[in-house]
Structure formats: structure tokens, C-alpha cells
Amino acid sequence: MERALELAALGIEADPNPRVGCVLLDPDGLLVAEGWHQGAGTPHAEAMALAIAGERARGCTAVVTLEPCNHTGRTGPCAKALVDAGVARVVFAQSDPNPMAAGGAATLRAAGIQTEPGLMADRVEALNATWNHVLRTGRPWVTWKFAGTLDGRSAAADGSSQWITGAAMRRVMNERRARCGAVVVGTGTVKADDPRLTVRDEQDEPVQRQPLRVVVGDSPVPAAARVRGRDGLYRQLPGGDATAALEALACEGIHHVWLEGGPTLAAAWWRAGVIDEVIACLAPALLGAGTAAVADLGITTIADISRLQLIDVERHGDDVALILNRPTPNCKEK
């Protein structure tokens, strides 16, 4: 299972599908074949391993990070493929939370194949944490990232904001943005900063795989705005209902949203209870005046202060990133 986890981690984190790894072992415990899911529309991990193994798969044990699927989509059901290949035993970590794909273990058992669930389930759930979240809640995991000075300013009094943090911090945050399915800002940020919202390499060129670029708000986005692009990865969603916006993104296969604000949208989503994680990138600098990182949260007394759970502290160059979670559940499981 350790090796299956390593294989699963080779998958694309932002893909609509979970990252899955599979190892086939012969009756003596020797490696026969291995596979991992390489992205939507490609063979699943089990199918890849079975294709490599061929006839050698008969009598093998399949060790898989996720319960083999029982669903026909762009590819066929892995449970049936394992039955047809003559596999004798299937060990898997996490049961599939997707009701459309679940039931693979029952199909295997009905065919006389021994199944053993639950091995290292916690680690596999952590590997696909955001995918699990969207299936259990109906909306993507939301990370709100902002850059600020020590006195809490995200822009100067004249509106300028590039750059508060240094190159090292921006490079790390760019890498994290690349692992998300969508980058979200409000219409005010588009009009003030005209951002591209793309993921770019060290030569400032766009990388091949890009997140969806989403603008939330009812104001029209200028036709010449850079966020629109020409690659079909631009969306504008109505403001006012954060949950509806997120559910719309979930329908597009998005399970991790990277919220970059501005302060009005960040405040609205915080008050709606849909922000799960905060990454505060703090520069050792002062502005004294300017725009705050977040707008009014409706808090008027210290007794109502919103306290977060500190998960980690990172230093990148001269800047510090605080990784924080909201300490209480944000929505009911469906």
C-alpha cells in the first residue's frame, strides 16, 4: 500500500477525479505490475496495471488506494475488469464515497474475490482530501489566500499592491495555485488590478495545465480584461450566494477553489461560512494606511472575534506564510 500511495501521488491533484494507485502482486508477493490514474479520460489505476500484467494478473492480489469503481463513465468499471482478469484478492484503503462509483467491493465479493478494506485509509483520505470534501459536502474546499503587511494592509492608499511579498513567496503560492481547480476573485479586483489569474513558470510563461479563472459578482467584466483570456477557461458567476457559486463549480469537477479576494468577496464568503483554509502571506513591512485584507465581518466586540486554528508556519525569503483552518465545520454533510 505504501507503493500504491506513491503511485497515486503521481496523479494530477487538480483533476476532477481522485488520485489512485494500484499494485499487482503474484501469489508469492512479487511485483507483477503497477499503475496510477493520470487524469480524466485516461485508464484508471487498476486498468493500467492490468494492461501491463496481461495474463499474469490471474491469481494476483491487487492493492489499490481506493475501492475499485463500479461505474461506467469515460472508462469501464474497474471492479469488472479485475473480475475478468481473474484476480484472486483485492486490498483497498478507502471505500469510494461517490455514490455513482461505489459498490465495487460488493461486485468483487459476488464474483468470489476476497476483499480487504481499510488498510491505511487515513493516509489515502488525506491524499484526496479536497475530492473527499466535495463529495461529502456538495461544494469544493476553499482556500483563501492573501498577501498583507504587518498592519493588515493588502494595498496602499493609492490602490497599488504589487508587490507586497517577495519573489520566493510568490513562487511558492504560484505552485499552490496550480494545484487548485479554480482561482476566484471578485469584480472589484478585476477592475482594480486587471489580473491574469494564470499559473506561470519562472520565465513568466503560462504552464500547460491552467485552473479555471472565475470572477464572482454582478458587475460586468470589461471585454478587454486579461482574466477573460482566449482558452475557454473563464467563468463569471453571480454574486450574493456563495454556496450556489461553489456548487456550480463542483458541477464542473472543481474540488479545490483558490480564493484571492478582494476584501469584499473574502468577507462575504467568510460570513457565509464557506472558507475552510486561510493562507496569510505576511511581509515584514508597514503601510499605515490603505486597503485591509478583508472587509467588514460584522464583528463589533472582541467577544465575537473569529479565531482560527494554526496548522503551520512557513518562511519563504523574508516573508512568512501562516496556514490556518477554520476550527469548526462550515456546512452539513449531504
Side-chain angles (χ1 to χ4, degrees):
M1 190 62 78
E2 287 278 4
R3 177 56 182 161
L5 269 163
E6 291 175 358
L7 293 166
L10 298 174
I12 302 167
E13 190 171 348
D15 195 74
N17 294 334
R19 294 182 288 171
V20 181
C22 175
V23 174
L24 293 180
L25 304 173
D26 70 13
D28 295 321
L30 299 176
L31 177 67
V32 173
E34 56 188 28
W36 69 94
H37 186 46
Q38 300 182 29
T42 67
H44 289 190
E46 301 95 317
M48 179 180 178
L50 291 171
I52 294 170
E55 287 299 317
R56 294 180 298 152
R58 189 163 300 277
C60 277
T61 292
V63 182
V64 195
T65 55
L66 184 67
E67 177 186 6
C69 68
N70 208 37
H71 169 65
T72 299
R74 286 193 252 184
T75 59
C78 292
K80 183 178 185 301
L82 290 165
V83 171
D84 293 344
V87 168
R89 176 171 167 248
V90 176
V91 179
F92 62 91
Q94 181 189 350
S95 297
D96 197 327
N98 185 350
M100 291 182 60
T107 296
L108 294 169
R109 288 193 295 269
I113 296 175
Q114 180 184 354
T115 63
E116 298 178 24
L119 179 62
M120 298 171 60
D122 289 348
R123 288 185 55 188
V124 173
E125 290 217 18
L127 179 73
N128 290 309
T130 58
W131 178 79
N132 281 302
H133 181 271
V134 76
L135 285 169
R136 290 167 177 162
T137 67
R139 65 163 181 83
W141 177 270
V142 177
T143 297
W144 169 36
K145 171 263 177 184
F146 67 88
T149 58
L150 292 179
D151 51 347
R153 305 297 178 180
S154 63
D158 65 356
S160 59
S161 60
Q162 295 184 346
W163 297 101
I164 288 176
T165 56
M169 180 67 79
R170 297 198 302 273
R171 182 169 58 252
V172 171
M173 291 304 120
N174 186 64
E175 292 169 356
R176 288 186 171 167
R177 175 194 272 186
R179 299 200 294 267
C180 296
V183 182
V184 176
V185 297
T187 52
T189 296
V190 171
K191 293 176 181 179
D193 299 338
D194 193 22
R196 295 177 293 192
L197 300 187
T198 52
V199 176
R200 311 184 78 82
D201 62 21
E202 293 184 359
Q203 286 72 47
D204 199 35
E205 294 296 326
V207 300
Q208 183 175 4
R209 186 181 182 90
Q210 292 287 335
L212 199 66
R213 302 182 302 278
V214 181
V215 178
V216 173
D218 300 318
S219 299
V221 173
R226 296 194 298 176
V227 70
R228 287 181 174 273
R230 298 179 179 178
D231 55 6
L233 294 176
Y234 164 75
R235 304 283 187 278
Q236 182 172 5
L237 297 176
D241 190 334
T243 299
L246 289 167
E247 288 177 347
L249 292 176
C251 289
E252 294 208 39
I254 304 299
H255 51 82
H256 192 178
V257 165
W258 185 260
L259 174 63
E260 293 201 356
T264 302
L265 183 61
W269 280 27
W270 183 268
R271 296 180 72 167
V274 298
I275 293 177
D276 304 288
E277 177 184 47
V278 178
I279 301 181
C281 304
L282 303 180
L286 298 170
L287 278 170
T291 304
V294 63
D296 182 19
L297 295 177
I299 298 170
T300 59
T301 177
I302 197 68
D304 296 333
I305 191 171
S306 286
R307 297 194 183 275
L308 285 73
Q309 179 183 8
L310 181 62
I311 303 300
D312 201 1
V313 180
E314 301 174 0
R315 178 172 176 174
H316 303 292
D318 290 332
D319 306 315
V320 174
L322 303 180
I323 316 299
L324 310 118
N325 279 358
R326 204 163 187 147
T328 55
N330 298 330
C331 55
K332 297 179 181 178
E333 292 193 353
K334 292 187 176 179

